[in-house]
Amino acid sequence: MNSLNAIRLFTASVDAGSFSEVGRRLGMAPSSVSRQVAALEDSVGAQLIHRTTRKLSLTEAGRLYFERVSRILAALDEATAAVSHLEESPRGVLHVNGPTAFGVRHVAPALPDFLARYPEVRIELTLTDNFVDLLEVGADVAVRVGELEDSSLIARRLAPNRRVLCASPGYLAKAGAPERPQDLADHNCLVYTRHHGNVNWNLGGPDGLAEVGVSGNLRTNNTEAVHAAALGGLGIALLPSWLVGQEVQSGRLVEVLPGYRAAPGALDTGIHALYPADRHLSTKVRAFVDFLVERFGPRPYWEETPSGKGGGH
Amino acid sequence: MNSLNAIRLFTASVDAGSFSEVGRRLGMAPSSVSRQVAALEDSVGAQLIHRTTRKLSLTEAGRLYFERVSRILAALDEATAAVSHLEESPRGVLHVNGPTAFGVRHVAPALPDFLARYPEVRIELTLTDNFVDLLEVGADVAVRVGELEDSSLIARRLAPNRRVLCASPGYLAKAGAPERPQDLADHNCLVYTRHHGNVNWNLGGPDGLAEVGVSGNLRTNNTEAVHAAALGGLGIALLPSWLVGQEVQSGRLVEVLPGYRAAPGALDTGIHALYPADRHLSTKVRAFVDFLVERFGPRPYWEETPSGKGGGH
DNA sequence: CTCATCTTTGCTTTATTTGCAAATATCATA
DNA sequence: TATGATATTTGCAAATAAAGCAAAGATGAG
């Protein structure tokens, strides 16, 4: 196949008017230029340049080829530049994928700041709760809460995923606050589970790990439903801090058994940004992930407490 | 610089959806395809394709690059095809250069036949009597009468360049016809010369070579002037057969000393077509030169005599 | 869970390209 | 006219790039 280099040397020779001059400008031997152009001529099957020791002149075929090929080379350089340009600074469309609840509460609110910092980026945010293949859906980066599937993607930790026992002040006034993990068995516990069967909450505290079987009059596979029920005063819930942290801060919910915390399970591996393990990570993805890390960590705003205690990792 | 091959493999991979498939189609190892595309990505500085063992998918940069580069490759192939096309059969502009007198009498009249045979050729005929550099003037082929300058051009012999002693019937009736070369000294000889000084005509005949000093009341550096004067009955002229051959045939001029002929000098090396010694001789030039050879040689029409004698080489 | 197929990487072999030097060609200049 | 400076081109050896092979890791189908 004919090489791009030969074509570039051909046009350069036409511009310079001499193979030697081209060699001088490009720092290569004149013989190489000569041979490349000769090879190009063989490749297209026509003489392109009449050669004299003193002067080069185009044949008709050469003129024709030069005209067309000059524009083509320019277009090719433009195409390359356009792509390289994309990488100079964050710009272009950034497809972000994430779970609905977390996305609505913490990703979407962050976007104005991000877009203000990088005005040339446009974001396409897709919130889905079923697991999607990043590449399948055309996403550049995904935010995942817990449960990292084993994949070729790179995971960057954005925040811890602590779970908090909490209930509304109304419920606690009526039912009292548990003082030890075992007390939970006597409370109406709002259970989030994806499976059937009994549910245990594992709580670590000053007296070690306690496993408590919990139950109540609401079981659901939807965290938001648990959340709503807890806000409504139905009972005690075990919910991620990113969901209830700010309500605990405002007092709409009260943390229960604050000396204890849920033992880290599969759901507690943290909140991560996932992106393809490509050798060339695009600047817009890097910028977005860096932005999220900066915004959330090391202690996310939803973990802040007025007294400075709690949360963290 | 990035190679054309890599770009072709990139687009082929996008089309095929798999490096292995491309390798299969193009008969090369999948690893080579993979490496070429990776090198292209390094070259443009951006990831173009997300790879999975099972599937390839374009990045935004890849989509952008693919769109532009596909068109560019097509344009490049078109440009190559256009040039190659030129060589499939004679077509395009053919620049022909030649001396005025011969061109008007024998080249221009031949062109209708040539153009009828090759309808896709357009001829640009430039007739000049000063020597021009073929390449300088942009000519593809030149017709030269005698005097071949030593150059890198290829010379193909089209016809002999015999010179003929002749005079008008009127002059011969008045002054008589010479019977031996020496008789020319007593005739009014019409001398073509570019220099000052005496002029000798060297005539070869049955009695060997005779050198005769000639003179008359007309000396000129223009062959056409000699020709016109001879037709007007002024005297005896030594003129190329291509100029007077047909007039001798028609009787408007009569050959003098037909048993003798001018000794070949620098002016008698023949009539040639000259064209560049390129490795790729264009088909239109080849066709034109072949056409002239066929039309003129081995015995040109202007050398024909009713009795079949004379002329030749 | 196993298998077939895909991409990638290390390693070796092969092909291409390069530079240098020499041969040849051309034009300017003495 | 002869000489010198500079051009293209070619042969040859060295350097560079590309290819294939085999193996390892990855992914989806059955």
Side-chain angles (χ1 to χ4, degrees):
Chain A
M1 201 54 75
N2 56 7
S3 109
L4 197 52
N5 214 10
I7 301 178
R8 288 195 194 279
L9 290 177
F10 164 68
T11 60
S13 299
V14 174
D15 290 337
S18 148
F19 292 162
S20 296
E21 179 58 26
V22 171
R24 241 172 275 124
R25 289 183 191 172
L26 275 60
M28 57 190 297
S31 55
S32 303
V33 182
S34 167
R35 255 183 297 225
Q36 288 281 352
V37 173
L40 178 64
E41 290 174 325
D42 285 350
S43 157
V44 304
Q47 192 82 15
L48 298 176
I49 297 183
H50 288 305
R51 299 148 171 80
T52 303
T53 355
R54 229 50 191 178
K55 186 175 322 180
L56 303 181
S57 67
L58 285 171
T59 64
E60 189 201 357
R63 260 190 303 279
L64 183 67
Y65 195 66
F66 178 74
E67 266 184 36
R68 306 183 69 156
V69 127
S70 297
R71 283 197 290 272
I72 289 172
L73 284 185
L76 186 59
D77 291 341
E78 262 178 44
T80 303
V83 169
S84 303
H85 193 62
L86 274 182
E87 299 309 316
E88 283 172 15
S89 66
R91 78 188 71 202
V93 178
L94 178 70
H95 294 258
V96 180
N97 182 265
T100 308
F102 187 84
V104 168
R105 270 179 191 71
H106 298 293
V107 177
L111 298 185
D113 282 355
F114 179 77
L115 291 169
R117 189 182 303 178
Y118 301 108
E120 293 179 297
V121 173
R122 295 193 307 283
I123 286 192
E124 188 164 321
L125 177 66
T126 307
L127 299 179
T128 58
D129 288 324
N130 47 340
F131 284 167
V132 297
D133 181 352
L134 235 70
L135 306 180
E136 190 76 44
V137 78
D140 298 301
V141 60
V143 173
R144 291 287 152 83
V145 176
E147 306 145 82
L148 285 185
E149 67 248 66
D150 184 27
S151 78
S152 62
L153 301 176
I154 289 182
R156 176 111 173 257
R157 184 181 182 85
L158 298 177
N161 187 29
R162 194 170 66 94
R163 282 182 298 168
V164 175
L165 279 174
C166 58
S168 72
Y171 172 84
L172 294 178
K174 185 180 63 182
E179 295 181 352
R180 297 169 306 157
Q182 292 81 348
D183 297 342
L184 288 173
D186 302 322
H187 279 268
N188 194 42
C189 292
L190 313 179
V191 175
Y192 164 80
T193 180
R194 288 176 166 173
H195 313 289
H196 298 290
N198 296 329
V199 170
N200 294 327
W201 288 351
N202 296 294
L203 301 177
D207 44 353
L209 196 67
E211 182 169 3
V212 185
V214 293
S215 62
N217 58 3
L218 173 64
R219 283 172 68 108
T220 177
N221 66 343
N222 186 301
T223 306
E224 301 256 39
V226 174
H227 183 217
L231 280 174
L234 185 60
I236 296 177
L238 182 62
L239 290 168
S241 59
W242 58 262
L243 186 54
V244 299
Q246 289 171 296
E247 283 151 350
V248 169
Q249 285 166 26
S250 69
R252 296 184 62 201
L253 289 175
V254 176
E255 189 167 356
V256 166
L257 291 174
Y260 297 80
R261 62 180 55 174
L267 293 173
D268 304 283
T269 47
I271 301 166
H272 294 86
L274 297 183
Y275 50 88
D278 293 333
R279 276 182 315 147
H280 298 278
L281 176 60
S282 72
T283 52
K284 64 190 177 195
V285 170
R286 182 189 308 277
F288 186 70
V289 175
D290 286 347
F291 171 81
L292 290 184
V293 166
E294 175 189 330
R295 183 179 179 90
F296 294 156
R299 169 174 297 185
Y301 52 85
W302 60 76
E303 293 278 358
E304 297 290 341
T305 57
S307 60
K309 78 171 187 183
H313 46 174
Chain B
M1 203 46 81
N2 56 8
S3 108
L4 199 50
N5 214 11
I7 301 178
R8 289 194 193 280
L9 290 177
F10 164 68
T11 60
S13 299
V14 175
D15 290 338
S18 147
F19 292 162
S20 295
E21 178 59 26
V22 171
R24 240 172 277 122
R25 290 183 190 171
L26 276 60
M28 57 190 299
S31 55
S32 303
V33 182
S34 167
R35 254 184 296 229
Q36 288 282 348
V37 173
L40 178 63
E41 290 175 323
D42 286 350
S43 158
V44 304
Q47 192 83 15
L48 298 175
I49 297 183
H50 288 305
R51 299 148 171 81
T52 303
T53 358
R54 230 50 191 181
K55 184 176 322 180
L56 302 182
S57 66
L58 285 172
T59 63
E60 189 202 357
R63 259 190 305 279
L64 183 68
Y65 196 65
F66 177 76
E67 265 184 36
R68 306 183 69 157
V69 128
S70 297
R71 283 197 292 271
I72 289 172
L73 284 184
L76 186 59
D77 290 341
E78 261 179 46
T80 303
V83 169
S84 303
H85 194 61
L86 273 182
E87 298 309 317
E88 285 172 14
S89 66
R91 79 187 68 202
V93 178
L94 178 70
H95 293 258
V96 181
N97 182 266
T100 307
F102 187 84
V104 167
R105 268 180 194 71
H106 297 293
V107 178
L111 299 185
D113 281 356
F114 179 76
L115 291 170
R117 190 183 301 179
Y118 301 108
E120 292 179 297
V121 175
R122 295 193 308 283
I123 285 191
E124 187 165 321
L125 177 66
T126 307
L127 299 179
T128 58
D129 288 322
N130 47 341
F131 284 168
V132 296
D133 182 353
L134 234 71
L135 306 179
E136 189 77 43
V137 78
D140 298 300
V141 59
V143 174
R144 292 285 152 83
V145 176
E147 305 143 84
L148 286 187
E149 66 248 67
D150 184 27
S151 77
S152 62
L153 300 175
I154 289 182
R156 176 110 173 257
R157 185 181 182 85
L158 298 177
N161 186 30
R162 192 168 69 92
R163 283 182 297 167
V164 174
L165 279 174
C166 58
S168 73
Y171 172 84
L172 294 178
K174 184 181 64 185
E179 294 183 353
R180 297 168 306 155
Q182 291 82 348
D183 297 342
L184 288 173
D186 302 324
H187 278 268
N188 194 41
C189 291
L190 313 178
V191 175
Y192 165 80
T193 179
R194 288 175 165 174
H195 312 288
H196 297 292
N198 295 331
V199 170
N200 294 326
W201 289 350
N202 295 295
L203 300 176
D207 45 354
L209 195 68
E211 182 170 2
V212 185
V214 293
S215 62
N217 58 2
L218 174 64
R219 282 171 68 108
T220 177
N221 66 343
N222 186 301
T223 306
E224 301 258 37
V226 174
H227 182 216
L231 281 173
L234 184 61
I236 296 176
L238 182 61
L239 288 169
S241 58
W242 57 262
L243 187 55
V244 299
Q246 288 170 297
E247 283 152 349
V248 169
Q249 285 166 27
S250 69
R252 295 184 62 202
L253 289 174
V254 176
E255 187 166 356
V256 166
L257 291 173
Y260 296 81
R261 61 182 55 175
L267 293 174
D268 302 284
T269 47
I271 300 166
H272 294 85
L274 296 185
Y275 50 88
D278 292 334
R279 276 183 315 147
H280 297 278
L281 176 61
S282 73
T283 53
K284 64 189 176 193
V285 169
R286 181 188 309 278
F288 185 70
V289 174
D290 287 346
F291 171 82
L292 290 184
V293 166
E294 176 189 330
R295 182 180 180 91
F296 293 156
R299 168 174 298 186
Y301 53 84
W302 61 76
E303 293 277 0
E304 296 290 340
T305 57
S307 60
K309 79 171 185 184
H313 46 183

